[in-house]
């Protein structure tokens, strides 16, 4: 197995993570603007496509120079956010809301708490 270079990994995270976060936020702004411009009539796939295309265009308009790496990370974040929204619009399995996945576990926990309270109350 290859040896991991943790310094290189940490540097990559520090270099990319801020741009990815900014890209995700900007992508949501793009989605909001597309929705407003269409008076709420734009299909979710169209909104997601706009997010992806906007992300692809960022380096061409804003990239270059010292900020090129950051702008590429922003573009990647925008495209990733758009791709997730597209996957949701296409109902791809496994790309749902986290709440849907956790609701069963939360429900089981609540049932356990209620059952424990009931047993504790019946024992007294």
């Amino acid at each position: 197995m290859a040896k991991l270079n943790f310094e290189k990994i940490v540097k990559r995270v520090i270099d990319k993570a801020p741009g990815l976060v900014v890209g995700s936020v900007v992508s949501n702004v793009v989605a909001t603007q597309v929705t407003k411009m269409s008076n709420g009539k734009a299909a979710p796939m169209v909104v997601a496509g706009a997010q992806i295309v906007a992300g692809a265009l960022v380096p061409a308009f804003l990239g270059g120079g010292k900020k090129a790496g950051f702008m590429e990370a922003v573009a990647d974040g925008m495209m990733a956010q758009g791709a997730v929204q597209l996957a949701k619009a296409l109902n791809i399995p496994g790309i749902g809301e986290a709440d849907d996945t956790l609701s069963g576990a939360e429900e089981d926990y609540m049932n356990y708490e209620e059952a424990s309270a009931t047993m504790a109350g019946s024992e007294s």
Side-chain angles (χ1 to χ4, degrees), residues 72-84:
E72 286 180 16
V74 169
D76 291 345
M78 291 176 72
M79 290 187 292
Q81 182 70 18
V84 168

Side-chain angles (χ1 to χ4, degrees), residues 48 80-101:
Q81 182 70 18
V84 168
Q85 296 306 318
L86 181 61
K88 285 180 182 180
L90 294 171
N91 294 320
I92 294 177
I95 309 285
E97 294 292 325
D99 293 339
D100 293 342
T101 306

Side-chain angles (χ1 to χ4, degrees), residues 28-44:
N28 288 332
V29 171
V30 168
T32 301
Q33 292 304 314
V34 169
T35 302
K36 282 182 181 179
M37 288 173 30
S38 71
N39 294 323
K41 295 179 182 175

